[in-house]
Amino acid sequence: MASDVQAAKAKSSLFIRLLLIAGLAGLLCAEGYFGYRLHTLSADQEQLKEDYSNINNITLGLFSVDQWQDKIGGIVNHQVRHFTLTPHQKHELQVEVEQIIMALINRAESLLEKKPTSLMGKIKKLAVKTFVNTDKIKAQVPTYAKTIIAKVDNPQNKQQLSTMALSKFKQVKKTAYVDSSIKANDSLTNVMFNKYHVSDTEALNNKLSNSLERIRTETYNYCFGMLACVIVVLMLWWLVRKRVELHATLFIMSLLFAFILLAVGLTASMIEVDCRISSLDFVLLGEHVVFKNQVLFFQSKSILDVVEVLVKQPAVDSILVGILILVFSILFPFTKLASTGIHLLSRRKIAESKFIKYFAFQSGKWSMADVIVIAILMCYIGLNGLLDKQLAGLNIKTETLTMLTTNNTALQPGYIVFISFVLYGLILSTILKFITPYDSH
């Protein structure tokens, strides 16, 4: 009878354990999917922002000869072709032109009054005095002045003048440096247009902005989905805290959740530095010249990206820092998680070996995962304040010039996932001390 009761209990315990494993496996798959989507979306976001920063980089805008040529050329063309004189201006110009013509006539008369020294000169002077009546010419000066002003105000002449002015701008392209620069810019622009199937920069910017907004929303949704899975696991620990036979199973499954958090936290973007001139507006020849979203600097890095950058530097100190981050903030946490699982599942001899016990219970003081979380946060706060201060010095607002800067530096979902891993790991370490069948000291 007692054996039947024990068998029933064993079957019930086995059923509950299998049910727990099945439920946690489904939850683990959900977390894995959320993590995979967050990772891929983070990479997509980084690529989109990289393309956005390239197409809107200050070297292709504010510092581009091609852009200045188009903008100034358009202003000159508009100013010349739409040049008009008010009645008051025409009157003043009439007076000035008449004065100039009269001055020329008087100058010609003074030259004629000089005594010629040669026979040919005497003949020319006699011919001019005989056939040229200067009084009649002076009387027609107002008519001449009106004719000249009419020629200046003629639309066809304005068009010719505009064409001539624009030809001067096109001569800039003849220099080797400018020509190669413009070709490189055109090549990059064409590549971007073909990549995103658009025909102009404005359409490209709109498409990139819409895609980035969608990805940002999805990324945070998947991030919070991962955290929800972890919270469910911690709630299960509270529910089964008295079911000792389920502790080992639940702990091993909990470790798998931690590994996924660690993997996503290390590879997803953690911090993004984005500095730009949001608007530059100044007045030239009475018209506004506007440059918008001129990217000064952009970088997006995960922890593994930072390690890779540091290790590839030629300086020894940079390589050393990269190795320290790799060892103490990546390898140590990974080894610690693995050691806790080995300690709980292995035989006593292995579970109580110095190596396993050290990493399971004592390596926390050497792991810098929590330190790097704080360091990144402090770096973000300090860098954000520094950039705000420096960019604020570029803000200008006058009647003829307006320049506004923007600091879009921000922590990314990868940071939230990594700090969640650190906190979750600390909780699992505390749980292990209560459920271990061996001495944890």
Side-chain angles (χ1 to χ4, degrees):
M1 187 72 177
S3 60
D4 292 338
V5 172
Q6 291 180 351
K9 287 184 178 179
K11 288 182 180 180
S12 176
S13 177
L14 178 61
F15 175 76
I16 294 174
R17 186 177 301 176
L18 291 176
L19 185 63
L20 179 65
I21 292 174
L24 288 175
L27 197 63
L28 185 67
C29 291
E31 187 201 21
Y33 174 74
F34 294 153
Y36 170 75
R37 290 295 297 150
L38 191 151
H39 173 77
T40 55
L41 286 173
S42 178
D44 292 343
Q45 176 178 270
E46 183 176 349
Q47 183 60 58
L48 288 173
K49 288 194 173 182
E50 190 73 33
D51 290 342
Y52 184 91
S53 66
N54 286 335
I55 202 67
N56 293 283
N57 193 277
I58 192 170
T59 57
L60 298 183
L62 189 57
F63 290 168
S64 170
V65 175
D66 199 20
Q67 289 284 331
W68 279 98
Q69 177 183 305
D70 291 341
K71 291 181 180 292
I72 296 180
I75 290 175
V76 171
N77 179 51
H78 181 267
Q79 289 287 334
V80 172
R81 293 196 178 193
H82 296 84
F83 173 74
T84 56
L85 292 171
T86 64
H88 178 69
Q89 290 173 333
K90 287 183 179 181
H91 175 72
E92 290 184 346
L93 186 59
Q94 172 88 16
V95 173
E96 290 186 13
V97 173
E98 288 179 4
Q99 291 175 352
I100 293 173
I101 295 175
M102 290 297 294
L104 291 174
I105 294 173
N106 292 333
R107 178 61 177 169
E109 282 185 325
S110 64
L111 292 175
L112 289 174
E113 292 299 328
K114 289 183 179 181
K115 188 176 181 179
T117 57
S118 63
L119 178 61
M120 184 59 68
K122 292 178 180 180
I123 295 173
K124 287 181 179 180
K125 182 177 180 180
L126 178 61
V128 170
K129 284 193 171 186
T130 302
F131 297 104
V132 177
N133 188 339
T134 55
D135 292 334
K136 289 184 177 181
I137 294 176
K138 290 180 179 180
Q140 295 181 4
V141 165
T143 304
Y144 297 151
K146 288 182 179 179
T147 303
I148 292 172
I149 294 173
K151 287 289 185 182
V152 171
D153 206 27
N154 184 276
Q156 185 175 358
N157 292 335
K158 289 181 184 179
Q159 184 174 356
Q160 292 178 352
L161 184 59
S162 172
T163 303
M164 183 172 59
L166 291 176
S167 66
K168 297 298 181 181
F169 286 100
K170 293 180 180 179
Q171 289 179 3
V172 178
K173 290 187 176 181
K174 293 183 179 180
T175 61
Y177 170 77
V178 174
D179 186 54
S180 61
S181 174
I182 292 176
K183 285 183 178 178
N185 294 348
D186 289 343
S187 177
L188 175 61
T189 302
N190 291 332
V191 169
M192 291 296 178
F193 287 173
N194 292 332
K195 181 177 180 180
Y196 293 100
H197 308 291
V198 295
S199 57
D200 56 69
T201 303
E202 183 178 358
L204 176 59
N205 285 337
N206 289 335
K207 189 169 186 177
L208 289 176
S209 297
N210 293 334
S211 298
L212 287 171
E213 185 63 29
R214 174 185 57 80
I215 287 177
R216 182 177 181 276
T217 302
E218 290 184 10
T219 300
Y220 276 98
N221 288 339
Y222 288 125
C223 175
F224 295 140
M226 293 185 68
L227 300 186
C229 293
V230 172
I231 291 173
V232 170
V233 173
L234 295 178
M235 290 174 64
L236 281 174
W237 271 108
W238 175 257
L239 294 175
V240 302
R241 62 189 183 279
K242 295 182 180 179
R243 301 293 298 268
V244 179
E245 72 278 7
L246 300 178
H247 287 173
T249 302
L250 182 54
F251 190 84
I252 296 303
M253 296 297 292
S254 299
L255 286 180
L256 297 179
F257 284 87
F259 278 120
I260 293 177
L261 284 177
L262 177 61
V264 176
L266 292 176
T267 56
S269 177
M270 295 190 70
I271 188 170
E272 203 173 73
V273 182
D274 184 346
C275 305
R276 64 181 68 181
I277 298 174
S278 57
S279 177
L280 176 64
D281 185 345
F282 64 94
V283 179
L284 179 66
L285 297 178
E287 296 193 27
H288 288 271
V289 178
V290 180
F291 290 91
K292 290 187 177 294
N293 288 326
Q294 300 294 290
V295 178
L296 300 172
F297 180 81
F298 172 79
Q299 282 291 323
S300 180
K301 297 295 181 185
S302 65
I303 293 180
L304 287 183
D305 290 335
V306 172
V307 171
E308 182 181 1
V309 170
L310 290 172
V311 171
K312 289 183 178 180
Q313 297 299 312
V316 177
D317 54 349
S318 297
I319 297 175
L320 180 60
V321 172
I323 293 175
L324 289 175
I325 295 176
L326 175 65
V327 172
F328 291 106
S329 297
I330 299 176
L331 297 182
F332 257 67
F334 180 85
T335 307
K336 178 180 175 61
L337 288 178
S339 298
T340 55
I342 294 173
H343 173 80
L344 193 62
L345 293 180
S346 301
R347 292 176 298 178
R348 187 183 190 92
K349 183 177 180 181
I350 299 176
E352 293 195 320
S353 66
K354 292 183 178 180
F355 179 85
I356 296 298
K357 287 188 67 176
Y358 172 78
F359 275 100
F361 299 104
Q362 301 176 26
S363 64
K365 59 185 178 182
W366 289 102
S367 174
M368 293 196 301
D370 52 347
V371 176
I372 198 170
V373 165
I374 302 300
I376 291 172
L377 178 61
M378 297 305 295
C379 176
Y380 164 71
I381 294 173
L383 181 62
N384 202 40
L386 176 64
L387 291 175
D388 281 338
K389 183 177 180 180
Q390 294 297 320
L391 291 175
L394 297 177
N395 291 332
I396 302 171
K397 191 170 184 180
T398 65
E399 292 183 358
T400 57
L401 173 63
T402 300
M403 182 164 69
L404 301 175
T405 57
T406 302
N407 174 24
N408 291 330
T409 300
L411 293 173
Q412 297 299 303
Y415 179 80
I416 300 175
V417 174
F418 191 75
I419 197 173
S420 300
F421 158 74
V422 172
L423 297 176
Y424 184 60
L426 292 174
I427 294 173
L428 289 184
S429 297
T430 303
I431 291 174
L432 180 62
K433 291 179 181 180
F434 287 100
I435 67 173
T436 178
Y438 311 111
D439 184 10
S440 62
H441 299 288

